Amino acid sequence: MAARSQYEELARQLSAVGAVKRGLARILPSECPSGSAAVLTLLAKYGEMRITRLAELLAVDMSVTSRHVAHVVDNGWIERFPDPADKRSRILRLTPAGEALLDDLTRRTTEMFAHNLIDWSDEDVGQLNTLLSRLRDSFSCRGSGGCVPGRHSGDCRAGHSDDSYTRTPV
């Protein structure tokens, strides 16, 4: 277990990550806020789904998810259609316009990171990706809404894909 001072420094460093998130938000088109980008990203990654599944993946309340979905539907980036298994439910699917926007968002994000991390090696970027993924998984397993407390973290992933709790858009 790390020393208390290391956890304190980690808290300070993670607070500073807000600058990175603000940088990401600045590159998004004004008509596509980060919540909309997250919806598009998750639909592209996991395919068609019900809004309840999307809310789980976003790790936000259904009302927040509904607002995000309404915005992307109004802009023509996704469509809703009846669920064949339950006509009362709707399935969400990316439209070609949504796929095109997501391609643009991905390009913008990639260019921003390439510009700002130009002096990082491939190994450094890979190590950061690995450690951030590990941090996210630790919180998914031990934080609120994660796995059952007391369960070994190796058991946590049973029944979940590695990215079940991905929250970050592009």
Side-chain angles (χ1 to χ4, degrees):
M1 187 155 145
R4 180 182 173 99
S5 62
Q6 288 182 302
Y7 293 125
E8 290 169 353
E9 179 60 19
L10 177 60
R12 283 189 289 277
Q13 293 298 327
L14 288 175
S15 293
V17 169
V20 175
K21 291 183 79 170
R22 287 187 296 280
L24 283 167
R26 280 192 293 275
I27 65 166
L28 295 175
S30 60
E31 70 275 7
C32 184
S34 61
S36 297
V39 168
L40 298 175
T41 300
L42 291 170
L43 284 170
K45 182 171 187 154
Y46 295 103
E48 300 174 355
M49 68 182 75
R50 288 181 176 183
I51 194 169
T52 52
R53 174 70 174 136
L54 182 60
E56 290 173 11
L57 291 170
L58 288 169
V60 296
D61 187 81
M62 256 316 250
S63 63
V64 173
T65 304
S66 294
R67 284 192 298 275
H68 291 319
V69 166
H71 180 76
V72 293
V73 167
D74 290 347
N75 280 282
W77 301 325
I78 69 169
E79 60 185 347
R80 291 182 267 211
F81 61 94
D83 183 345
D86 180 358
K87 299 292 185 201
R88 297 170 297 167
S89 295
R90 299 277 184 204
I91 299 289
L92 307 174
R93 170 176 47 209
L94 273 176
T95 64
E99 290 174 6
L101 176 60
L102 188 56
D103 288 345
D104 180 53
L105 297 177
T106 300
R107 179 192 54 77
R108 290 173 186 234
T109 302
T110 301
E111 288 174 1
M112 185 203 74
F113 279 117
H115 173 77
N116 286 293
L117 304 181
I118 195 163
D119 57 340
W120 288 44
S121 69
D122 286 350
E123 183 179 301
D124 289 342
V125 175
Q127 185 177 10
L128 178 62
N129 285 331
T130 298
L131 291 172
L132 287 173
S133 177
R134 185 175 169 193
L135 177 66
R136 183 193 67 227
D137 289 347
S138 291
F139 274 77
S140 294
C141 287
R142 296 180 186 102
S144 66
C147 296
V148 177
R151 206 186 261 184
H152 182 271
S153 64
D155 298 334
C156 178
R157 288 280 161 223
H160 298 292
S161 71
D162 287 344
D163 296 310
S164 292
Y165 296 95
T166 298
R167 182 177 175 157
T168 308
V170 293

